[in-house]
């Protein structure tokens, strides 16, 4: 059935990337903009030869339209229900929907063919984040579908939907920020990841309250932890620390400049290992901590800083930041040590990150080998037509 969404026309030759299913239409690709279209409106994209390319959400900015379908179809409850069902089937296929694993990403934007939408599931609560005005306006429909999936035979089990877009694009576009439950309410905020329990603070925490994207890498760290003295830098909720404890670390030190993060880490350690004295945390700047700590104090160091480059313009400084941070770790880690080092900046490529770490290693003069090259987990899939969806990069290094 054809839609009657307002039409946006592409300039001649600008349909090429869309014909290869890239989900973004840049503003420069469009002919004149009709004045009756508002941010978040659904639009139909038409090529210069009159052929319909598909439908998407319009927004003001360099990305003008995020494509939702490469067809002329209605984007309503049925569309979201189908996409969410597909998203759930994939997570089930990945083995993430188990009683001992109740935290996972259900929707990863373009990676789930829903540009502008993120949904993280923590037990029976879904935390929804819009990164586009269009998804902001669709939030009620999406929330309803999330809850109704279960009755429809998809056992997602979500009863509460918390919407959190106070700091994301709708807010920047001066739309009413909303941080509230759209459906239900929950005071039970403990979710399980690989059998470990975590308090998830979706009300006040960063992003949706937890970094589910480090699940696989945390599990890998567990295997390197036996008998090790572990330093978890930029610990946030202490995910790596809790896995290191289970892995049999001799001691685990967690560092974050935010005292709130340190309190979250302490709470999660206490939840899983009450009374265990192997763990200690420090509310301190990571660079200062690395500077003041002794050489060979730790056998295993995790460096998982926030995105140093949020935009391309900050790239040079970001690369310098990664180099400095990693150089300090190479300088201090014990012989035979293992370094887990990450970058979650989308603007920093895998090669650039590796080069920054390589420069840091060379600066230390130590013998360094790459053991693993890490990426984001499978519940953060990368749409093959949208390589920009790859953002998390990590290296596990052996330092002699
Ligand atoms: N490793 C965490 C996620 C890290 S998020 C996990 O697995 O969940 C990045 C963290 O870095 C945030 O908690 C932030 O408070 C902290 N941070 C930012 N700048 C810092 C600095 N200069 N020193 C120490 N911590 C910092």
């Amino acid at each position: 059935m054809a839609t009657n969404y307002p039409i946006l026309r592409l300039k001649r030759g600008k349909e090429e990337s869309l014909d290869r299913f890239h989900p973004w239409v840049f503003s420069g690709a469009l002919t004149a903009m009709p004045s009756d279209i508002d941010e978040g409106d659904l639009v139909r994209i038409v090529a210069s030869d009159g052929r319909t390319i598909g439908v998407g959400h319009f927004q003001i900015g360099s990305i003008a339209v995020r494509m939702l379908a490469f067809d002329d179809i209605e984007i309503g409850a049925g569309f979201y229900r189908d996409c969410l069902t597909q998203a759930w089937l994939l997570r089930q296929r990945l083995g993430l929907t188990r009683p001992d694993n109740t935290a996972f990403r259900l929707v990863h934007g373009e990676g789930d063919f829903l540009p502008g939408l993120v949904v993280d599931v923590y037990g029976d609560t879904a935390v929804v984040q819009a990164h586009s005005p269009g998804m902001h306006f669709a939030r009620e429909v999406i929330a309803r579908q999330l809850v109704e999936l279960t009755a429809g035979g998809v056992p997602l089990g979500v009863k509460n939907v918390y919407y959190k877009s106070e700091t994301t694009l709708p807010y920047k576009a001066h739309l009413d920020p909303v941080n509230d439950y759209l459906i239900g309410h929950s005071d039970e905020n403990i979710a399980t990841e690989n059998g470990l329990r975590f308090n998830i603070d979706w009300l006040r925490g960063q992003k949706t309250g937890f970094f589910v994207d480090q699940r696989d890498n945390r599990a890998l760290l567990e295997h390197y932890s036996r008998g090790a003295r572990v330093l978890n830098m930029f610990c946030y909720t202490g995910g790596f620390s809790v896995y290191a404890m289970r892995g049999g670390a001799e001691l685990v030190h967690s560092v974050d400049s935010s005292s709130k993060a340190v309190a979250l880490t302490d709470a999660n350690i206490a939840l899983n290992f009450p009374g265990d004295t192997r763990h200690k945390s420090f509310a301190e700047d990571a660079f200062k901590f690395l500077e003041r700590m002794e050489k060979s104090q730790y056998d295993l160091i995790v460096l998982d800083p926030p995105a140093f480059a949020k935009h391309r313009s900050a790239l040079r400084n970001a690369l310098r930041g990664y180099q400095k941070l990693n150089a300090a770790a190479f300088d201090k880690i014990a012989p035979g040590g293992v370094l887990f080092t990450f970058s979650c900046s989308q603007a920093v490529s895998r090669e650039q990150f590796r080069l920054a770490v390589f420069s840091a290693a060379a600066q230390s003069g130590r013998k360094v080998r790459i053991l693993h090259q890490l990426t984001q987990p499978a519940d953060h899939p990368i749409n093959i037509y949208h390589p920009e969806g790859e953002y998390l990069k990590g290296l596990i290094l052996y330092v002699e």
Side-chain angles (χ1 to χ4, degrees):
M1 192 182 73
T3 64
N4 57 2
Y5 299 144
I7 290 172
L8 289 181
R9 286 182 193 284
L10 296 173
K11 291 178 185 161
R12 191 177 301 277
K14 292 293 184 186
E15 63 283 343
E16 216 175 284
S17 68
L18 291 157
D19 281 339
R20 282 185 268 113
F21 308 112
H22 192 281
W24 296 346
V25 182
F26 291 97
S27 54
L30 295 168
T31 60
M33 193 78 70
S35 56
D36 57 345
I37 298 182
D38 287 324
E39 281 219 277
D41 280 356
L42 285 160
V43 292
R44 177 150 67 99
I45 300 297
V46 171
S48 58
D49 63 5
R51 157 174 76 90
T52 291
I53 303 267
V55 293
H57 278 142
F58 170 74
Q59 68 187 69
I60 295 166
S62 116
I63 301 171
V65 179
R66 288 165 189 256
M67 299 301 288
L68 297 164
F70 290 91
D71 251 325
D72 191 12
I73 58 162
E74 204 74 45
I75 305 296
F79 169 81
Y80 288 111
R81 186 188 57 233
D82 292 349
C83 288
L84 293 173
T85 301
Q86 286 303 323
W88 188 85
L89 286 172
L90 173 59
R91 276 61 185 181
Q92 184 194 38
R93 185 76 179 78
L94 296 174
L96 293 174
T97 57
R98 316 185 306 261
D100 70 337
N101 193 87
T102 62
F104 55 90
R105 176 155 293 193
L106 178 68
V107 176
H108 185 60
E110 284 82 355
D112 284 288
F113 309 113
L114 288 168
L117 184 69
V118 164
V119 181
D120 285 340
V121 171
Y122 302 116
D124 60 10
T125 299
V127 182
V128 173
Q129 229 174 19
H131 292 264
S132 71
M135 288 299 181
H136 176 71
F137 292 128
R139 66 189 183 276
E140 303 273 358
V141 181
I142 293 165
R144 179 66 43 213
Q145 292 311 311
L146 279 167
V147 171
E148 286 181 359
L149 275 190
T150 309
V154 177
L156 175 64
V158 161
K159 297 195 179 90
N160 318 299
V161 180
Y162 186 74
Y163 180 68
K164 187 173 185 185
S165 287
E166 210 166 54
T167 56
T168 59
L169 191 103
Y171 167 69
K172 288 174 196 147
H174 306 291
L175 300 168
D176 270 349
V178 181
N179 263 24
D180 205 358
Y181 284 98
L182 298 177
I183 296 177
H185 175 94
S186 175
D187 293 318
E188 165 63 43
N189 68 335
I190 293 176
T192 310
E193 185 184 273
N194 289 324
L196 292 165
R197 304 204 302 149
F198 291 93
N199 291 285
I200 317 282
D201 190 355
W202 50 79
L203 300 184
R204 286 166 297 268
Q206 301 172 45
K207 305 267 173 79
T208 66
F210 192 61
F211 285 76
V212 266
D213 60 359
Q214 288 286 24
R215 181 197 314 106
D216 294 354
N217 303 330
R218 291 193 271 252
L220 202 47
L221 173 114
E222 183 174 352
H223 293 289
Y224 281 96
S225 297
R226 181 149 304 279
R229 296 163 299 165
V230 177
L231 173 63
N232 179 14
M233 282 289 187
F234 309 95
C235 62
Y236 186 34
T237 57
F240 283 104
S241 305
V242 173
Y243 278 75
M245 295 286 282
R246 187 168 70 178
E250 182 183 312
L251 62 84
V252 180
H253 289 173
S254 306
V255 179
D256 200 289
S257 55
S258 147
S259 51
K260 270 194 220 151
V262 164
L264 283 169
T265 295
D266 288 342
N268 286 328
I269 294 283
L271 187 63
N272 292 279
F273 304 96
D276 197 321
T277 55
R278 289 176 296 152
H279 181 259
K280 231 173 130 171
S281 52
F282 303 83
E284 208 174 314
D285 175 75
F287 289 91
K288 289 204 179 115
F289 189 95
L290 280 164
E291 206 171 279
R292 79 168 170 86
M293 77 189 221
E294 283 159 31
K295 282 205 185 213
S296 300
Q297 203 181 329
Y298 300 102
D299 313 295
L300 205 174
I301 298 180
V302 182
L303 300 175
D304 184 25
F308 283 164
K310 293 228 160 60
H311 301 285
R312 290 208 180 275
S313 56
L315 189 61
R316 271 173 67 97
N317 280 340
L319 292 174
R320 226 173 282 137
Y322 288 120
Q323 187 179 334
K324 191 174 158 209
L325 187 64
N326 283 279
F330 284 127
D331 185 39
K332 296 285 172 77
I333 197 165
V338 176
L339 175 64
F340 279 60
T341 183
F342 298 96
S343 163
C344 60
S345 303
Q346 197 264 322
V348 173
S349 74
R350 193 163 282 282
E351 291 68 35
Q352 285 165 325
F353 176 61
R354 192 162 150 170
L355 189 62
V357 177
F358 158 81
S359 306
Q363 207 175 317
S364 74
R366 296 181 71 171
K367 278 177 131 171
V368 177
R369 280 179 275 174
I370 298 174
L371 305 181
H372 304 261
Q373 309 200 42
L374 308 176
T375 182
Q376 62 218 55
D379 57 343
H380 294 56
I382 302 160
N383 176 339
I384 201 160
Y385 308 113
H386 179 255
E388 295 91 332
E390 181 179 1
Y391 70 100
L392 186 62
K393 302 154 284 287
L395 293 168
I396 303 183
L397 304 156
Y398 183 67
V399 187
E400 282 183 33

